[in-house]
Amino acid sequence: MQVLKFGGSSLASRQEMEAVAKILVERSTNAQLIVVLSAPRGVTSLIENLIHQAQTATDYTAQLNTWQTRCVALLQSFDDRLSSAQLNHLHAFQHAQAEQLQRHLQGIALLGECSNKVQARLMAMGELLSVHILLALLASDNVRELPAEQCLLASGDYLNARVDIKATAKRIKQWCSENPFNIALMPGYRAQHEEGDLCVLGRNGSDYSAAVVAAAMQAQSCEIWTDVDGVYTADPRRVSSAVHVARLSYEEAMELSHFGAKILHPKTIAPLAQFRVPCVIKNTTNPAATGTWIDAEGDHSMPIKGISTLEQLALITVSGPGLKGVAGISARVFSCLAQRDISVNLITQSSSEFSISFCVQQANVMAVKKAIRAEFELELSSGLIKPLNIQKNMAIVSLIGDGMLHQLGLAARFFASLAQAQVNVSAMAQDSSERTVSAVVNQSDCGDAVAVCHENFFTHMPSIDVFVVGCGTVGAQLLQQIKRQQPFLQKRNVKLRVYGIANSRQLLLAAQGIDLNNWQEKLTGAKAAFDFATVQQFVKRHHLINPVIVDCTTSTDLAARYADYIRAGFHVVTPNKKANTMTMDYYHEIRNAARAKHRRFLYETTVGAGLPIIDAVQGLQNAGDRLHEFGGILSGSLSYIFGLLEAGQSFSTATRQARELGYTEPDPRDDLSGMDVARKLLIMAREIGLQLELDDIAIEPLIPAEFDASGSVDDFMARIEALDNHYAKAQQQAHANHAVLRYVALIRDGKCQVKVEAVAADNPLAAIKDGENALVIKSDYYQPLPFVLRGYGAGATVTAAGIFSDLMRTLAWQQQA
Ligand code: ADP
Ligand code: ASP
Ligand code: MG
């Protein structure tokens, strides 16, 4: 004997129903089958809504028409498949059901109420329709209807009854002995209440019907046929990267369904586990797929099996001095709820026994309030118990697997993952078998929580979700590199996608990531301007869990918002020097926000472009080294100009040439003012712990104070020859002293200065020219020979590569989780 159950999704239309019939014909050639059928998809919900409308005096005619049209259309779809006698029979059956439903609805509307007993009778109609259609499709004497309301004996709530398996076994065996069959079609969800009337087994309860029949008959297996290939590590409708799970233990399946995995009704597994009947989940539209096998053994090679969520909950906390040390309070709390059939999804108690928190379905909040008020009237009035604390719109996220028991640190990783997703945890619980760890979170955070946990526990493919602001030379080069590096990223198992690109006028966003082959075109067509609130909403809507703002502008306004971006859960990566050279207060504010939010602020390219200068300085300090002196050539354009001076060029020719080659800023005065180098030096100074402001840097510009540097760029360039003499003299003097002129940034004795200096030939900075940058550090460990780092310190390619490397660093936190 085998039991097969087909859910509403497998009976949604003619196509699925024919697929079911085909499976049954094939399977019945070598086994006797009891087949449990749900209502066609959506039919039960329509009836439930109808009852609600009738009860609340809402006009239900439109809804009634929808139900009638849905059922009749389904029957009509078989016009060319069934005989007219069969069709007439089906239509007559539907007509009778419609009349019965209508009559009851009138009564409900009149009374303004509907008992659970009456509701059960109506809600269970859809299952009969499925059975009648399948009887017609299979049309054979060997196919019979097994009447659930005679064979399944149940008790409890009429809408959520529990089946007595022993009594049911007796009845079904009796029925089987009197009705020989090859295939017995049984409507799911329906049963006979011990008081004699029809009752139902809870929404989605046909799974449970199948389980009790399989248990009662000691079937070879209980197959649950649905619309997916089996159980996945998360709901495949919500997590596109969900992974198929081949085998589960009964306990794991029970926990998964209890904590919200809709694929199985929570009551399904217990009877199967009790009678050791294996359960198989199969796909009606893909019968060849192996499905998921559930038995006592499970699969030890996969310690964690899935993440599930239960939504629309309220977290209720009972607290007060009366709870302390008084035995039996929690027993009273939960028994008063049980008496009113209010089921509790999760319980936690503070170790001081000062409070008890539990989750219930949001719809039950009023009932809980009433129950607790009635039970604790005295304690409430005397202040021994405080008024209930009720948090609505909550959800439980659970991580489930037998391996939780044996592997240290899984729960820690779970909570670290939630922190990574910036999800606040209101309560947590681990079941006593240590198979499940659960967190109660705001429902609006549920998607983020699942996405990040799934990434960390299953796909192991961390993501970097990039928003590039500013797409001039560096920004465009970065996008180019991201496109080119996709194969490398794939090898490293990293998903790096650009979801947003903005310039000063437009913002382009794409839910699937922007196609980097034609982003320029798309950006030109984009309408809105960059607006952080829009980006933030986009991130929330698409559950992006590792968002990074890459600021490739030189904007001060944008830099002033970094702390806000970080507080909103973004990493910030930038070559823009502005933020690090604003006030010391803001400098600390950004870092405090990053620490509090577990986000990174990365700016390696602000000094020396792609050269890992910041990294090197941080590395030395992390090793306990103390820096004594720092000297550097930190400007690619000035390195180029002074190289030409050394080679005998005049200052004006060197500057012109550097400008023509694009080594300087469009207005060379920006380089010659020394301000750019001063900002870089301030960043370095702050990096080694000096609390300085930009004003504290002594700047000697390349243009002497007496020189008139006003006017347009062209005016200025036309006058620049006047400086040739000054530099020729300085150069000659340096040469005579076996030195060369360099624009040097210096930190010595806590003081910072940037200036033109004659550098002795044996100083490592003397060799730095042609656009190279260098950093020379003397420290406890590096003396008398200094630590030297040199290389190209300007240019879009190396800068973009440095930004790329910072982007990869945003994963460090994820990889710890
Ligand atoms: P049926 O109509 O066959 O009873 P259900 O809709 O009740 O089907 O259950 C199947 C659905 O369960 C799937 O379509 C899927 O979206 C959902 N589901 C939720 N969690 C999981 C999970 N962990 N694995 C597979 N499916 C899941
Ligand atoms: N038809 C019922 C429902 O939709 C039972 C089931 O489908 O399992 O809840
Ligand atoms: Mg179901």
Side-chain angles (χ1 to χ4, degrees):
M1 170 79 65
Q2 290 173 10
V3 175
L4 286 76
K5 176 259 171 180
F6 293 87
S9 58
S10 303
L11 299 159
S13 69
R14 169 175 168 177
Q15 197 186 351
E16 284 89 17
M17 286 186 158
E18 286 188 332
V20 171
K22 186 162 172 256
I23 292 167
L24 295 183
V25 170
E26 280 169 19
R27 293 290 297 277
S28 62
T29 52
N30 51 18
Q32 201 184 21
L33 310 180
I34 295 184
V35 178
V36 178
L37 299 178
S38 288
R41 186 170 56 206
V43 166
T44 315
S45 296
L46 279 171
I47 300 176
E48 192 174 34
N49 288 343
L50 269 171
I51 296 169
H52 178 73
Q53 290 182 349
Q55 237 172 332
T56 52
T58 315
D59 181 6
Y60 56 81
T61 36
Q63 184 83 353
L64 186 59
N65 281 339
T66 312
W67 172 79
Q68 174 73 348
T69 315
R70 164 89 174 94
C71 298
V72 172
L74 180 63
L75 296 182
Q76 283 171 343
S77 71
F78 291 101
D79 275 357
D80 58 346
R81 169 70 174 77
L82 297 175
S83 70
S84 45
Q86 286 177 311
L87 287 167
N88 287 343
H89 170 76
L90 285 173
H91 282 285
F93 169 76
Q94 170 57 21
H95 186 71
Q97 293 232 81
E99 278 203 330
Q100 192 193 353
L101 179 58
Q102 213 161 353
R103 264 201 323 274
H104 277 87
L105 289 172
Q106 278 164 3
I108 295 167
L110 208 64
L111 295 170
E113 63 175 25
C114 177
S115 69
N116 286 0
K117 198 191 285 188
V118 172
Q119 187 164 344
R121 205 178 300 155
L122 304 179
M123 298 265 290
M125 282 181 164
E127 295 13 60
L128 288 184
L129 185 65
S130 297
V131 168
H132 275 73
I133 296 175
L134 258 297
L135 279 171
L137 282 175
L138 294 166
S140 153
D141 290 343
N142 288 330
V143 180
R144 290 175 184 271
E145 176 185 350
L146 194 163
E149 52 272 48
Q150 283 170 28
C151 295
L152 268 60
L153 183 69
S155 60
D157 183 350
Y158 271 83
L159 292 176
N160 194 10
R162 283 201 167 268
V163 175
D164 174 341
I165 295 179
K166 226 166 138 193
T168 299
K170 231 164 121 189
R171 288 169 163 213
I172 300 184
K173 282 178 187 153
Q174 172 79 22
W175 184 89
C176 289
S177 68
E178 289 164 9
N179 298 276
F181 65 90
N182 225 351
I183 302 176
L185 298 177
M186 184 186 103
Y189 191 43
R190 304 165 68 96
Q192 185 187 43
H193 198 273
E194 59 185 1
E195 290 165 358
D197 291 284
L198 177 74
C199 62
V200 291
L201 305 178
R203 287 305 312 270
N204 297 306
S206 300
D207 296 337
Y208 177 49
S209 305
V212 294
V213 172
M217 299 303 288
Q218 300 271 298
Q220 244 172 293
S221 62
C222 174
E223 298 179 8
I224 306 286
W225 290 75
T226 182
D227 59 352
V228 285
D229 279 351
V231 175
Y232 283 76
T233 47
D235 185 344
R237 265 186 236 191
R238 295 178 65 167
V239 178
S240 57
S241 55
V243 180
H244 180 255
V245 180
R247 194 165 173 189
L248 291 169
S249 68
Y250 288 129
E251 289 82 1
E252 287 171 328
M254 218 169 328
E255 293 288 313
L256 272 169
S257 60
H258 178 76
F259 283 107
K262 195 191 164 218
I263 187 149
L264 278 175
H265 187 279
K267 287 191 287 193
T268 313
I269 294 296
L272 297 174
Q274 188 188 346
F275 291 89
R276 289 285 190 262
V277 179
C279 179
V280 195
I281 316 280
K282 297 278 290 175
N283 188 348
T284 306
T285 55
N286 184 19
T290 48
T292 297
W293 181 268
I294 302 166
D295 62 8
E297 272 295 294
D299 171 8
H300 302 289
S301 69
M302 187 176 179
I304 305 294
K305 298 297 195 309
I307 298 164
S308 58
T309 57
L310 265 180
E311 295 178 32
Q312 283 168 9
L313 301 177
L315 175 65
I316 299 186
T317 304
V318 185
S319 66
L323 266 74
K324 195 158 173 60
V326 180
I329 292 265
S330 51
R332 276 172 67 198
V333 169
F334 297 111
S335 67
C336 81
L337 299 179
Q339 276 160 19
R340 289 163 178 81
D341 273 333
I342 301 170
S343 70
V344 172
N345 299 100
L346 172 146
I347 302 169
T348 67
Q349 185 163 19
S350 72
S351 54
S352 66
E353 291 181 37
F354 197 67
S355 72
I356 304 167
S357 300
F358 53 91
C359 283
V360 295
Q361 289 190 0
Q362 193 141 294
N364 287 335
V365 166
M366 279 308 289
V368 171
K369 275 190 193 167
K370 261 195 205 157
I372 301 276
R373 257 189 230 133
E375 176 68 34
F376 294 99
E377 206 181 337
L378 264 180
E379 288 86 347
L380 280 164
S381 61
S382 62
L384 283 173
I385 288 184
K386 291 199 224 155
L388 292 186
N389 182 322
I390 299 172
Q391 285 171 265
K392 289 195 179 165
N393 298 319
M394 305 302 283
I396 300 177
V397 180
S398 307
L399 186 70
I400 292 149
D402 287 342
M404 299 279 285
L405 188 63
H406 309 292
Q407 282 201 8
L408 272 179
L410 287 177
R413 265 175 69 202
F414 175 60
F415 290 108
S417 300
L418 296 176
Q420 180 196 335
Q422 314 273 310
V423 171
N424 187 39
V425 176
S426 299
M428 52 182 91
Q430 184 162 35
D431 76 329
S432 54
S433 65
E434 290 186 40
R435 196 165 277 115
T436 302
V437 52
S438 302
V440 183
V441 305
N442 282 326
Q443 187 161 310
S444 55
D445 288 337
C446 209
D448 289 0
V450 171
V452 81
C453 290
H454 198 267
E455 201 166 81
N456 290 341
F457 284 96
F458 298 107
T459 55
H460 305 291
M461 188 173 202
S463 48
I464 308 174
D465 312 316
V466 178
F467 296 82
V468 178
V469 187
C471 32
T473 348
V474 171
Q477 174 61 227
L478 174 67
L479 293 168
Q480 173 76 21
Q481 288 188 12
I482 293 176
K483 187 176 101 181
R484 216 182 39 236
Q485 298 288 16
Q486 286 304 322
F488 155 80
L489 290 164
Q490 221 154 32
K491 234 191 269 157
R492 295 276 297 263
N493 213 25
V494 171
K495 188 176 123 204
L496 191 159
R497 279 208 190 141
V498 180
Y499 288 93
I501 301 178
N503 58 24
S504 52
R505 296 167 311 283
Q506 284 119 345
L507 167 65
L508 172 67
L509 293 170
Q512 300 304 317
I514 295 170
D515 178 358
L516 294 180
N517 291 306
N518 60 359
W519 62 268
Q520 290 92 340
E521 233 172 86
K522 293 252 173 66
L523 181 64
T524 317
K527 288 196 179 68
F530 173 74
D531 163 42
F532 180 64
T534 311
V535 173
Q536 215 181 340
Q537 280 159 15
F538 177 91
V539 162
K540 194 85 200 142
R541 196 166 50 250
H542 299 287
H543 305 300
L544 302 181
I545 49 183
N546 200 33
V548 191
I549 292 271
V550 184
D551 173 17
C552 293
T553 71
T554 53
S555 158
T556 308
D557 291 348
L558 220 56
R561 303 271 329 263
Y562 290 174
D564 293 339
Y565 300 164
I566 291 170
R567 279 190 286 263
F570 286 71
H571 302 279
V572 173
V573 169
T574 188
N576 181 352
K577 291 178 275 294
K578 297 289 163 51
N580 268 342
T581 54
M582 288 179 179
T583 62
M584 206 60 218
D585 283 350
Y586 185 57
Y587 187 85
H588 290 308
E589 188 186 336
I590 298 179
R591 282 153 182 83
N592 290 339
R595 247 190 311 275
K597 281 285 179 179
H598 299 296
R599 286 301 186 239
R600 307 289 308 265
F601 171 47
L602 296 164
Y603 45 86
E604 180 60 84
T605 49
T606 52
V607 183
L611 290 180
I613 290 182
I614 305 283
D615 195 42
V617 170
Q618 287 176 348
L620 289 178
Q621 296 192 110
N622 287 341
D625 201 358
R626 276 182 314 150
L627 309 193
H628 307 162
E629 197 178 300
F630 166 88
I633 291 183
L634 301 179
S635 156
S637 42
L638 299 185
S639 150
Y640 186 78
I641 290 173
F642 281 93
L644 292 183
L645 285 186
E646 186 189 339
Q649 300 268 21
S650 71
F651 182 73
S652 57
T653 319
T655 307
R656 255 188 219 110
Q657 198 171 321
R659 183 172 180 240
E660 275 154 26
L661 289 170
Y663 286 177
T664 68
E665 294 296 317
D667 184 344
R669 283 172 293 192
D670 291 343
D671 297 296
L672 301 179
S673 71
M675 185 50 90
D676 176 63
V677 177
R679 283 190 191 277
K680 289 173 179 165
L681 185 64
L682 179 60
I683 295 173
M684 295 304 299
R686 288 176 166 182
E687 207 58 55
I688 62 173
L690 298 177
Q691 309 277 315
L692 297 176
E693 300 290 346
L694 196 52
D695 288 348
D696 297 323
I697 313 279
I699 306 173
E700 184 192 291
L702 278 93
I703 310 164
E706 58 279 10
F707 182 82
D708 175 14
S710 63
S712 70
V713 183
D714 290 339
D715 289 348
F716 169 72
M717 290 305 285
R719 265 183 277 128
I720 196 174
E721 266 87 8
L723 290 173
D724 286 352
N725 239 347
H726 169 81
Y727 277 103
K729 248 200 242 155
Q731 175 61 31
Q732 272 162 22
Q733 205 174 347
H735 189 69
N737 293 331
H738 307 289
V740 288
L741 290 187
R742 292 289 179 262
Y743 199 68
V744 177
L746 206 67
I747 304 176
R748 192 179 287 148
D749 302 329
K751 299 232 162 28
C752 296
Q753 52 176 321
V754 292
K755 61 172 187 179
V756 181
E757 204 174 80
V759 173
D762 61 349
N763 185 324
L765 298 183
I768 305 303
K769 52 189 175 185
D770 301 335
E772 244 192 312
N773 275 200
L775 165 101
V776 179
I777 288 175
K778 284 193 182 150
S779 68
D780 281 356
Y781 298 156
Y782 290 91
Q783 59 169 339
L785 282 181
F787 173 93
V788 180
L789 196 71
R790 61 183 271 192
Y792 281 117
T797 313
V798 284
T799 308
I803 299 173
F804 192 96
S805 161
D806 273 352
L807 281 175
M808 296 298 280
R809 286 191 177 120
T810 62
L811 291 181
W813 158 255
Q814 255 174 300
Q815 280 158 353
Q816 283 163 22

